[in-house]
Amino acid sequence: MPRRVDHEERRRAIAEALWRIACARGLDGASLRDVAAEAGISLGQLQHYFSSKDEMLVFALKYLGGLAEERIRARLLGLNGPPSPRDVLRETVMEMLPLDDASRTGNLVQIAYFVRALHDERLRGHAKEGIPALRAFFADQVRTGIERGEVDASRDADAEAMLLIALTDGLTTHLLLEACDQDETKSLLDGHLDRLFTP
Amino acid sequence: MPRRVDHEERRRAIAEALWRIACARGLDGASLRDVAAEAGISLGQLQHYFSSKDEMLVFALKYLGGLAEERIRARLLGLNGPPSPRDVLRETVMEMLPLDDASRTGNLVQIAYFVRALHDERLRGHAKEGIPALRAFFADQVRTGIERGEVDASRDADAEAMLLIALTDGLTTHLLLEACDQDETKSLLDGHLDRLFTP
């Protein structure tokens, strides 16, 4: 083992071990010791970075959120020309959905956290922390759409933002259950956006 | 203890013990023994009815589904006059949402099952079993709405059904996280139905 450890690097390696467990068998019943073993370190070393499973989950979620943001940015840069409000909404929700391994991992970790948060008020605070920011971001896109004459002015931007988030979360459940396939999910979301972006 | 036990009654009492645990602290880590203790019976007696946690969950979900159907029927009978397709859709989704203790319990048990199903193909089969039936039922309402001139004929009934189910499931998550309140959730769903029922 190298004498000097990059602490941020180590935290990330632990978070990634947690994701591998989340994807392979879920986090129910997975202990700190299981995660340490998966990361190839001792329980003591892991506890140097995280004193509880919840602390580890909060870090893993933030790290995953950051990676998802990078992927969304890359998607938008990959479009021809500057993205329209509709492009921004579409690429963001497509990245939120479990359509590939990276987003599937993110979703599974989020669900593990969500289930713990249902019975823990403090965790619930963390779990819902990101929602108002995402909602405000989506509402801004809808408002810009209205200003550009791409969305009917009678639409309530804040309500549309929440509808789109809820729809994406619901479709995530059905994709993970394999009750809806990828093509159908994409076409349902495109249909929803088509109607929103009808002046 | 009475010599003759009503077996269906006993199964229901066990399912209800399972719900109480689901609501109070979640089902992660809850053992058959915990459920037996909550139901006031021995582990052996419980195993006479259910040999595994999953078998118990499947029964509890079916029982909960039956109770939810009864509540939806009662809601529809409580309306003034025969229900319109919009009434049927509205009352059904309002009953699916965790807006009171009964539906909150149903949702918490469903989530516990969903999380187990993510990592178990056989359970996933059960978990998604009810979705096509619900979707077909919703699609029928939309088609009737089109026939009655209440829904624009360009709408795809099958797609609208899935959108409404996904939206309801997504709003359920946000209600449980307290990221959305009851009034807002109802008004978002009513707004969605208003636009669907615009000829």
Side-chain angles (χ1 to χ4, degrees):
Chain A
M1 223 180 95
R3 205 179 289 171
R4 297 184 52 186
V5 178
D6 177 332
H7 292 298
E8 195 52 25
E9 193 49 52
R10 179 55 69 84
R11 276 177 195 272
R12 289 181 182 184
I14 296 170
E16 285 160 15
L18 184 80
W19 305 344
R20 287 195 295 277
I21 296 177
C23 289
R25 58 186 170 91
L27 293 175
D28 291 9
S31 65
L32 288 184
R33 192 178 296 277
D34 295 331
V35 179
E38 177 69 32
I41 58 175
S42 71
L43 178 60
Q45 284 171 317
L46 183 140
Q47 285 170 326
H48 180 69
Y49 296 98
F50 302 108
S51 65
S52 71
K53 194 164 159 181
D54 292 329
E55 216 180 88
M56 207 159 59
L57 275 168
V58 172
F59 177 81
L61 277 177
K62 283 197 183 148
Y63 179 22
L64 279 164
L67 293 178
E69 271 177 36
E70 278 170 31
R71 290 196 304 269
I72 292 166
R73 217 167 289 133
R75 273 172 179 264
L76 293 172
L77 285 172
L79 296 173
N80 290 323
S84 66
R86 189 200 154 124
D87 290 334
V88 174
L89 290 175
R90 184 180 192 279
E91 298 308 316
T92 306
V93 298
M94 291 299 166
E95 190 56 53
M96 286 164 68
L97 289 167
L99 294 172
D100 60 19
D101 282 349
S103 50
R104 191 180 148 83
T105 301
N107 272 292
L108 290 174
V109 176
Q110 255 174 344
I111 288 165
Y113 191 81
F114 162 67
V115 167
R116 294 169 76 87
L118 288 177
H119 301 281
D120 185 320
E121 203 178 341
R122 200 180 56 84
L123 290 185
R124 214 149 52 232
H126 275 292
K128 67 184 179 193
E129 224 169 44
I131 301 170
L134 182 63
R135 185 171 179 173
F137 175 68
F138 278 14
D140 274 348
Q141 302 304 319
V142 178
R143 265 188 288 272
T144 306
I146 293 172
E147 282 161 20
R148 290 164 54 135
E150 295 162 359
V151 173
D152 195 282
S154 68
R155 295 275 185 159
D156 175 335
D158 194 46
E160 293 303 333
M162 194 63 222
L163 282 172
L164 186 57
I165 294 171
L167 185 58
T168 307
D169 288 343
L171 288 171
T172 293
T173 305
H174 292 276
L175 261 174
L176 291 173
L177 281 178
E178 298 158 10
C180 230
D181 69 22
Q182 297 207 355
D183 288 343
E184 185 175 25
T185 304
K186 288 182 200 169
S187 106
L188 286 169
L189 271 169
D190 279 328
H192 180 80
L193 288 173
D194 282 345
R195 276 204 294 273
L196 177 57
F197 283 84
T198 301
Chain B
M1 225 180 95
R3 205 179 289 172
R4 296 184 53 189
V5 178
D6 178 332
H7 291 301
E8 195 52 26
E9 193 48 53
R10 179 56 68 83
R11 275 177 197 274
R12 289 181 182 183
I14 295 170
E16 285 160 14
L18 183 81
W19 305 345
R20 287 195 296 276
I21 296 178
C23 289
R25 57 186 171 91
L27 292 175
D28 292 9
S31 65
L32 288 184
R33 193 178 295 277
D34 294 331
V35 179
E38 177 68 31
I41 58 175
S42 71
L43 177 59
Q45 285 171 317
L46 184 141
Q47 284 170 326
H48 180 68
Y49 296 99
F50 302 108
S51 66
S52 71
K53 192 164 160 182
D54 291 330
E55 216 180 87
M56 207 159 58
L57 275 168
V58 171
F59 176 82
L61 277 178
K62 283 198 183 149
Y63 179 21
L64 279 164
L67 293 178
E69 272 178 37
E70 278 171 31
R71 288 197 304 270
I72 291 166
R73 216 167 290 132
R75 274 172 178 264
L76 292 173
L77 285 172
L79 295 174
N80 289 324
S84 67
R86 189 200 153 123
D87 289 335
V88 174
L89 291 175
R90 184 181 193 277
E91 298 308 316
T92 306
V93 297
M94 290 300 166
E95 190 56 52
M96 287 164 67
L97 289 168
L99 295 172
D100 59 20
D101 281 349
S103 50
R104 191 180 148 85
T105 301
N107 273 293
L108 290 173
V109 176
Q110 257 175 343
I111 289 165
Y113 191 81
F114 162 68
V115 167
R116 294 170 76 87
L118 288 177
H119 301 281
D120 185 319
E121 204 179 341
R122 200 179 57 83
L123 291 185
R124 214 151 51 233
H126 274 292
K128 67 183 179 194
E129 224 169 43
I131 301 170
L134 182 63
R135 185 171 178 173
F137 174 69
F138 278 14
D140 274 348
Q141 303 304 318
V142 178
R143 266 188 288 272
T144 307
I146 292 173
E147 283 161 20
R148 290 165 54 137
E150 294 162 1
V151 173
D152 195 281
S154 68
R155 294 276 185 156
D156 175 336
D158 193 47
E160 293 303 332
M162 194 65 222
L163 282 172
L164 186 56
I165 294 171
L167 186 58
T168 307
D169 288 343
L171 288 171
T172 293
T173 305
H174 292 276
L175 261 174
L176 291 173
L177 281 178
E178 297 159 8
C180 231
D181 69 23
Q182 298 207 354
D183 288 342
E184 184 175 25
T185 304
K186 288 182 200 170
S187 105
L188 286 169
L189 271 169
D190 279 328
H192 180 79
L193 288 174
D194 282 345
R195 276 203 293 272
L196 177 56
F197 283 84
T198 301

XYZ file of all heavy atoms in Angstrom, chain B residues 79-139:
480
model
N -70.318 8.961 -6.035
C -70.463 10.121 -6.931
C -71.939 10.350 -7.257
O -72.752 9.440 -7.152
C -69.716 9.871 -8.247
C -68.205 9.735 -8.184
C -67.663 9.337 -9.555
C -67.545 11.035 -7.726
N -72.278 11.563 -7.670
C -73.649 11.822 -8.129
C -73.804 11.280 -9.537
O -73.185 11.785 -10.456
C -73.935 13.329 -8.131
C -74.054 13.877 -6.715
O -74.565 13.208 -5.823
N -73.551 15.088 -6.500
N -74.590 10.267 -9.707
C -74.854 9.726 -11.038
C -73.774 8.785 -11.513
O -72.778 8.551 -10.803
N -73.947 8.232 -12.705
C -72.991 7.255 -13.223
C -71.647 7.928 -13.515
O -71.617 9.049 -14.026
C -73.648 6.737 -14.507
C -74.645 7.778 -14.894
C -75.040 8.522 -13.660
N -70.537 7.272 -13.170
C -69.222 7.906 -13.352
C -68.848 8.032 -14.827
O -69.091 7.125 -15.624
C -68.270 6.947 -12.637
C -68.972 5.641 -12.571
C -70.432 5.932 -12.561
N -68.276 9.161 -15.190
C -67.741 9.359 -16.542
C -66.372 8.684 -16.610
O -65.792 8.344 -15.574
C -67.598 10.854 -16.817
O -66.593 11.379 -15.962
N -65.803 8.489 -17.812
C -64.444 7.920 -17.898
C -63.444 8.745 -17.086
O -62.570 8.197 -16.419
C -64.133 7.992 -19.396
C -65.459 7.995 -20.070
C -66.406 8.701 -19.140
N -63.618 10.049 -17.106
C -62.712 10.891 -16.333
C -62.851 10.632 -14.834
O -61.857 10.576 -14.110
C -62.990 12.373 -16.628
C -61.927 13.272 -16.023
C -62.380 14.700 -15.856
N -61.621 15.259 -14.766
C -60.854 16.331 -14.834
N -60.794 17.012 -15.936
N -60.167 16.732 -13.792
N -64.115 10.489 -14.366
C -64.345 10.158 -12.949
C -63.635 8.855 -12.572
O -63.011 8.767 -11.519
C -65.846 9.937 -12.672
C -66.663 11.222 -12.732
O -66.088 12.299 -12.509
O -67.870 11.132 -13.020
N -63.765 7.850 -13.437
C -63.181 6.535 -13.133
C -61.661 6.665 -13.008
O -61.053 6.169 -12.049
C -63.553 5.494 -14.215
C -62.825 4.176 -13.968
C -65.064 5.267 -14.242
N -61.053 7.364 -13.969
C -59.595 7.535 -13.919
C -59.198 8.328 -12.674
O -58.269 7.956 -11.957
C -59.090 8.240 -15.187
C -59.178 7.421 -16.479
C -58.766 8.275 -17.676
C -58.281 6.180 -16.398
N -59.909 9.421 -12.417
C -59.551 10.280 -11.296
C -59.662 9.532 -9.964
O -58.737 9.556 -9.141
C -60.439 11.518 -11.265
C -60.031 12.489 -10.176
C -60.896 13.727 -10.103
N -60.245 14.717 -9.248
C -60.331 14.719 -7.916
N -61.022 13.778 -7.292
N -59.698 15.636 -7.202
N -60.780 8.862 -9.754
C -60.971 8.194 -8.465
C -59.964 7.046 -8.291
O -59.503 6.781 -7.191
C -62.417 7.693 -8.332
C -63.469 8.813 -8.366
C -63.204 9.935 -7.374
O -62.869 9.642 -6.215
O -63.306 11.121 -7.769
N -59.630 6.382 -9.389
C -58.663 5.282 -9.281
C -57.275 5.810 -8.915
O -56.621 5.285 -8.006
C -58.607 4.471 -10.588
O -59.930 4.054 -10.931
C -57.728 3.238 -10.436
N -56.813 6.844 -9.603
C -55.463 7.332 -9.278
C -55.444 7.976 -7.890
O -54.459 7.851 -7.161
C -54.855 8.288 -10.341
C -54.679 7.575 -11.669
C -55.647 9.549 -10.518
N -56.540 8.635 -7.490
C -56.558 9.234 -6.148
C -56.454 8.134 -5.078
O -55.858 8.338 -4.030
C -57.828 10.068 -5.934
C -57.874 11.346 -6.757
S -56.507 12.497 -6.408
C -56.633 13.629 -7.809
N -57.036 6.981 -5.374
C -56.961 5.874 -4.418
C -55.583 5.206 -4.439
O -55.113 4.658 -3.436
C -58.063 4.848 -4.725
C -58.253 3.785 -3.674
C -58.528 4.333 -2.278
O -59.446 5.161 -2.139
O -57.802 3.956 -1.334
N -54.900 5.258 -5.589
C -53.553 4.681 -5.674
C -52.537 5.525 -4.890
O -51.550 5.002 -4.381
C -53.099 4.602 -7.144
C -53.800 3.519 -7.954
S -53.586 3.766 -9.767
C -51.812 3.467 -9.973
N -52.759 6.826 -4.819
C -51.806 7.710 -4.140
C -51.852 7.519 -2.618
O -52.910 7.223 -2.074
C -52.149 9.168 -4.455
C -51.883 9.649 -5.877
C -52.554 11.007 -6.091
C -50.383 9.759 -6.142
N -50.727 7.707 -1.933
C -50.713 7.555 -0.470
C -51.295 8.787 0.228
O -50.591 9.531 0.886
C -49.225 7.370 -0.154
C -48.511 8.079 -1.265
C -49.392 7.978 -2.485
N -52.623 8.970 0.076
C -53.272 10.161 0.632
C -53.932 9.885 1.986
O -54.361 10.798 2.667
C -54.317 10.706 -0.346
C -53.757 11.245 -1.681
C -54.891 11.583 -2.641
C -52.876 12.470 -1.455
N -54.041 8.600 2.352
C -54.554 8.273 3.693
C -53.804 7.037 4.202
O -52.941 6.498 3.500
C -56.071 8.053 3.670
C -56.487 6.921 2.740
O -55.640 6.062 2.393
O -57.657 6.886 2.336
N -54.138 6.605 5.418
C -53.387 5.504 6.022
C -53.485 4.213 5.208
O -52.491 3.509 5.034
C -53.895 5.238 7.452
C -53.323 6.259 8.423
O -52.410 7.000 8.010
O -53.783 6.318 9.567
N -54.696 3.916 4.696
C -54.879 2.655 3.975
C -54.015 2.617 2.708
O -53.308 1.643 2.453
C -56.356 2.473 3.613
N -54.055 3.694 1.936
C -53.299 3.661 0.687
C -51.800 3.852 0.946
O -50.959 3.345 0.213
C -53.828 4.717 -0.296
O -53.933 5.966 0.335
N -51.472 4.539 2.034
C -50.057 4.670 2.407
C -49.479 3.293 2.750
O -48.378 2.942 2.303
C -49.940 5.620 3.607
C -48.524 6.043 3.918
C -48.465 6.980 5.123
N -47.215 6.764 5.814
C -46.064 7.335 5.496
N -46.022 8.197 4.514
N -44.955 7.053 6.143
N -50.231 2.524 3.500
C -49.805 1.159 3.832
C -49.584 0.347 2.561
O -48.563 -0.318 2.392
C -50.875 0.463 4.697
O -51.061 1.226 5.878
C -50.454 -0.946 5.060
N -50.583 0.418 1.661
C -50.474 -0.327 0.407
C -49.217 0.058 -0.349
O -48.481 -0.802 -0.848
N -48.938 1.341 -0.403
C -47.758 1.797 -1.126
C -46.464 1.335 -0.462
O -45.520 0.958 -1.153
C -47.780 3.323 -1.251
C -48.545 3.769 -2.479
O -48.112 3.532 -3.593
N -49.692 4.395 -2.287
N -46.420 1.368 0.866
C -45.187 0.957 1.550
C -44.911 -0.533 1.345
O -43.765 -0.937 1.156
C -45.248 1.316 3.038
C -45.186 2.826 3.339
C -45.426 3.089 4.818
C -43.842 3.423 2.903
N -45.968 -1.352 1.360
C -45.770 -2.788 1.115
C -45.334 -3.013 -0.334
O -44.420 -3.802 -0.616
C -47.051 -3.597 1.449
C -46.872 -5.073 1.108
C -47.404 -3.454 2.933
N -45.953 -2.277 -1.250
C -45.568 -2.397 -2.659
C -44.103 -2.023 -2.880
O -43.398 -2.674 -3.642
C -46.431 -1.471 -3.521
C -47.505 -2.228 -4.273
C -48.428 -1.303 -5.033
O -48.497 -0.097 -4.781
N -49.154 -1.879 -5.961
N -43.656 -0.965 -2.216
C -42.266 -0.529 -2.371
C -41.312 -1.587 -1.816
O -40.289 -1.897 -2.424
C -42.049 0.853 -1.709
C -42.761 1.923 -2.542
C -40.568 1.174 -1.558
C -42.926 3.248 -1.842
N -41.673 -2.157 -0.659
C -40.829 -3.215 -0.073
C -40.695 -4.380 -1.054
O -39.612 -4.943 -1.241
C -41.433 -3.694 1.245
N -41.804 -4.700 -1.694
C -41.784 -5.800 -2.651
C -40.970 -5.413 -3.886
O -40.143 -6.197 -4.379
C -43.222 -6.146 -3.051
C -43.293 -7.423 -3.831
C -43.276 -8.645 -3.172
C -43.355 -7.425 -5.210
C -43.328 -9.836 -3.878
C -43.405 -8.604 -5.923
C -43.389 -9.804 -5.256
O -43.427 -10.974 -5.957
N -41.202 -4.204 -4.373
C -40.495 -3.700 -5.558
C -38.979 -3.787 -5.373
O -38.250 -4.247 -6.257
C -40.944 -2.252 -5.816
C -40.057 -1.441 -6.710
C -39.935 -1.752 -8.058
C -39.342 -0.354 -6.211
C -39.116 -0.994 -8.892
C -38.529 0.400 -7.032
C -38.408 0.075 -8.380
N -38.513 -3.382 -4.204
C -37.071 -3.365 -3.949
C -36.507 -4.786 -3.983
O -35.415 -5.021 -4.508
C -36.789 -2.665 -2.600
C -35.368 -2.891 -2.142
C -37.056 -1.176 -2.743
N -37.267 -5.743 -3.469
C -36.809 -7.135 -3.524
C -36.852 -7.649 -4.969
O -35.981 -8.424 -5.386
C -37.656 -8.020 -2.615
C -37.482 -7.684 -1.131
C -38.497 -8.393 -0.272
N -38.187 -9.798 -0.075
C -37.408 -10.273 0.875
N -36.832 -9.449 1.722
N -37.181 -11.559 0.980
N -37.857 -7.198 -5.720
C -38.033 -7.680 -7.092
C -36.917 -7.187 -8.024
O -36.615 -7.823 -9.036
C -39.393 -7.235 -7.633
N -36.290 -6.051 -7.665
C -35.225 -5.507 -8.515
C -34.115 -6.521 -8.722
O -33.433 -6.516 -9.744
C -34.625 -4.252 -7.873
C -35.501 -3.004 -7.891
C -34.800 -1.872 -7.155
C -35.819 -2.602 -9.326
N -33.912 -7.387 -7.723
C -32.784 -8.317 -7.782
C -33.239 -9.769 -7.849
O -32.489 -10.668 -7.493
C -31.857 -8.083 -6.580
C -31.339 -6.685 -6.546
N -30.311 -6.269 -7.347
C -31.765 -5.592 -5.881
C -30.112 -4.980 -7.146
N -30.972 -4.537 -6.271
N -34.478 -9.980 -8.255
C -35.005 -11.341 -8.284
C -35.999 -11.445 -9.445
O -37.083 -10.858 -9.413
C -35.694 -11.632 -6.938
C -36.182 -13.069 -6.829
O -36.714 -13.607 -7.825
O -36.043 -13.651 -5.744
N -35.616 -12.196 -10.464
C -36.426 -12.246 -11.686
C -37.829 -12.797 -11.439
O -38.806 -12.310 -12.010
C -35.706 -13.107 -12.739
C -36.148 -12.737 -14.142
C -35.430 -13.555 -15.205
O -34.369 -14.128 -14.900
O -35.956 -13.612 -16.321
N -37.938 -13.835 -10.578
C -39.230 -14.447 -10.320
C -40.175 -13.440 -9.650
O -41.333 -13.297 -10.033
C -39.039 -15.676 -9.403
C -40.177 -16.674 -9.417
C -39.848 -17.851 -8.502
N -39.570 -17.406 -7.141
C -40.517 -17.158 -6.220
N -41.778 -17.317 -6.510
N -40.177 -16.757 -5.013
N -39.630 -12.712 -8.664
C -40.452 -11.709 -7.988
C -40.845 -10.587 -8.947
O -41.932 -10.031 -8.859
C -39.699 -11.103 -6.797
C -39.439 -12.008 -5.601
C -38.787 -11.207 -4.486
C -40.739 -12.622 -5.100
N -39.927 -10.257 -9.873
C -40.217 -9.199 -10.846
C -41.441 -9.606 -11.668
O -42.279 -8.783 -11.985
C -38.991 -8.998 -11.743
C -38.805 -7.586 -12.171
C -37.357 -7.230 -12.409
N -36.621 -8.128 -13.263
C -35.471 -8.698 -12.936
N -34.929 -8.468 -11.761
N -34.850 -9.484 -13.775
N -41.530 -10.888 -11.988
C -42.697 -11.391 -12.727
C -43.987 -11.072 -11.987
O -44.919 -10.529 -12.565
N -44.011 -11.377 -10.685
C -45.192 -11.074 -9.871
C -45.440 -9.570 -9.792
O -46.564 -9.110 -9.874
C -44.992 -11.565 -8.426
C -45.361 -12.997 -8.242
N -46.655 -13.423 -8.332
C -44.605 -14.083 -7.974
C -46.676 -14.734 -8.113
N -45.452 -15.168 -7.906
N -44.347 -8.820 -9.566
C -44.474 -7.384 -9.307
C -45.106 -6.663 -10.485
O -45.868 -5.722 -10.319
C -43.110 -6.772 -8.974
N -44.777 -7.109 -11.697
C -45.296 -6.380 -12.860
C -46.580 -7.011 -13.407
O -47.158 -6.497 -14.360
C -44.223 -6.277 -13.948
C -43.822 -7.572 -14.587
C -42.698 -7.329 -15.591
C -42.281 -8.632 -16.225
N -41.012 -8.537 -16.942
N -47.032 -8.080 -12.734
C -48.213 -8.816 -13.199
C -49.451 -7.928 -13.351
O -50.181 -8.023 -14.343
C -48.540 -9.902 -12.168
C -48.865 -11.251 -12.752
C -48.898 -12.308 -11.649
O -49.463 -12.042 -10.566
O -48.349 -13.393 -11.879
N -49.691 -7.086 -12.350
C -50.924 -6.293 -12.357
C -50.889 -5.122 -13.327
O -51.927 -4.534 -13.632
N -49.698 -4.741 -13.812
C -49.586 -3.504 -14.591
C -50.348 -3.577 -15.926
O -51.108 -2.659 -16.234
C -48.101 -3.095 -14.779
C -47.443 -2.894 -13.394
C -47.979 -1.833 -15.621
C -45.945 -2.728 -13.420
N -50.200 -4.656 -16.725
C -50.949 -4.683 -17.992
C -52.459 -4.582 -17.783
O -53.146 -3.921 -18.567
C -50.571 -6.034 -18.609
C -49.265 -6.397 -17.980
C -49.328 -5.830 -16.588
N -52.976 -5.200 -16.718
C -54.425 -5.145 -16.469
C -54.856 -3.713 -16.144
O -55.859 -3.210 -16.660
C -54.796 -6.087 -15.333
N -54.082 -3.042 -15.300
C -54.403 -1.653 -14.944
C -54.314 -0.763 -16.183
O -55.162 0.090 -16.433
C -53.422 -1.159 -13.861
C -53.654 0.261 -13.349
C -55.012 0.369 -12.652
C -52.547 0.694 -12.378
N -53.271 -1.005 -16.973
C -53.069 -0.208 -18.180
C -54.230 -0.399 -19.163
O -54.732 0.567 -19.737
C -51.742 -0.636 -18.822
C -51.376 0.203 -19.995
C -49.967 -0.116 -20.444
N -49.656 0.681 -21.609
C -48.473 0.749 -22.179
N -47.465 0.066 -21.680
N -48.272 1.504 -23.229
N -54.667 -1.657 -19.332
C -55.780 -1.937 -20.247
C -57.058 -1.267 -19.734
O -57.839 -0.712 -20.512
C -55.979 -3.442 -20.379
N -57.241 -1.285 -18.418
C -58.424 -0.669 -17.816
C -58.415 0.849 -18.058
O -59.418 1.448 -18.470
C -58.444 -0.994 -16.314
C -59.528 -0.319 -15.533
C -60.858 -0.675 -15.726
C -59.225 0.673 -14.610
C -61.872 -0.043 -15.002
C -60.230 1.312 -13.888
C -61.554 0.958 -14.088
N -57.267 1.487 -17.843
C -57.147 2.928 -18.083
C -57.340 3.252 -19.574
O -58.003 4.217 -19.928
C -55.774 3.444 -17.618
C -55.671 3.721 -16.138
C -56.636 3.259 -15.244
C -54.604 4.460 -15.623
C -56.546 3.515 -13.881
C -54.502 4.724 -14.255
C -55.466 4.257 -13.389
N -56.732 2.423 -20.432
C -56.838 2.673 -21.881
C -58.300 2.592 -22.328
O -58.753 3.387 -23.157
C -55.980 1.674 -22.654
